[in-house]
Amino acid sequence: MGEEQEVEATVMLESYDLVVITDTWWDEATIDGYRLLKRDRRGRRGGGVDLFFKKCIDYEEMSPENSHEQDKSLWVRIRDRGNKGNLAGVYYRLPSQGEPIDKAFLLQLQETSYSQGLILLRDFNYPDICWESSTVSCRQSRRLLECMEDNFFEPDNRQPYQRG
């Protein structure tokens, strides 16, 4: 069974409402009963993010003011019955990503942190961050941790399904 088929089988078995895939290399992924939002790398293959929603979930895509053209992020408001909605963000950081894109993402975090119900799903690719002790060894990583602390984000590193 190929990777796409394995992911689809797992999603169908578990009946997830929302599925995130980072660093994607898939051209056109489909999962029965789900809608797909996709953000690919510009000018290159791979390295994008895919966000699958059950078809019964109402959402609208958002574009934070501080988006960077090379940023691999998706932001959506998931509408509930009261039409307030929760905010979901998906982010993939390239391991070799430069400071301008990092800074743009930190501004997005600050901009979206107002939401009472914010879910951030991510692949930060900061190998020097120790999430358990909140320690880092480089400036770019420190900026991310400080932004998360300043905006009251608490990392939850449980990963129910990860390949690699």
Side-chain angles (χ1 to χ4, degrees), residues 1 4-17 19 31-32 34 54 160-161:
M1 179 182 303
E4 289 179 50
Q5 292 81 16
E6 188 176 338
V7 169
E8 183 175 1
T10 301
V11 169
M12 299 303 284
L13 179 68
E14 298 295 333
S15 189
Y16 295 120
D17 290 333
V19 177
I31 299 176
D32 287 340
Y34 290 79
K54 276 190 174 175
Y161 183 77

Side-chain angles (χ1 to χ4, degrees), residues 4 20 35 41 63 69 81-82 130-131 136 139:
E4 289 179 50
V20 172
R35 291 179 288 180
R41 286 173 70 180
S63 294
E69 67 177 26
R81 289 189 182 122
C130 176
W131 294 102
V136 297
R139 183 180 57 191

Side-chain angles (χ1 to χ4, degrees), residues 78-111:
I78 302 168
R79 295 192 191 115
D80 60 14
R81 289 189 182 122
N83 209 21
K84 295 177 187 172
N86 293 313
L87 192 61
V90 181
Y91 181 67
Y92 172 71
R93 180 186 181 275
L94 293 168
S96 60
Q97 186 164 288
E99 283 192 46
I101 304 170
D102 283 348
K103 286 180 181 179
F105 176 69
L106 295 180
L107 289 171
Q108 288 178 36
L109 273 183
Q110 290 172 345
E111 181 182 338

Side-chain angles (χ1 to χ4, degrees), residues 4 10 19 28 30 32 34 38 40 46-47 51 55 66-68 89 96-97 102 104 133 137 146 148 152 157-158 162:
E4 289 179 50
T10 301
V19 177
E28 283 302 318
T30 59
D32 287 340
Y34 290 79
K38 189 173 189 62
D40 289 324
L51 181 58
K55 286 186 176 178
N66 296 297
S67 296
H68 190 284
S96 60
Q97 186 164 288
D102 283 348
S133 63
S137 61
E146 287 172 354
M148 291 180 74
F152 306 103
N157 294 315
R158 292 175 291 167
Q162 181 179 15

Side-chain angles (χ1 to χ4, degrees), residues 18-30 35-40 47-53 74 90 92 121:
L18 178 73
V19 177
V20 172
I21 302 172
T22 61
D23 195 13
T24 61
W25 288 82
W26 302 349
D27 290 325
E28 283 302 318
T30 59
R35 291 179 288 180
L36 170 65
L37 280 177
K38 189 173 189 62
R39 176 88 66 231
D40 289 324
V49 294
D50 289 353
L51 181 58
F52 290 92
F53 287 94
L74 281 171
V90 181
Y92 172 71
L121 306 152

Side-chain angles (χ1 to χ4, degrees), residues 106 109-110 113-114 142-154:
L106 295 180
L109 273 183
Q110 290 172 345
S113 66
Y114 70 88
R142 185 171 324 285
R143 285 187 186 137
L144 172 68
L145 282 183
E146 287 172 354
C147 179
M148 291 180 74
E149 289 170 1
D150 291 348
N151 292 288
F152 306 103
F153 288 103
E154 292 188 25

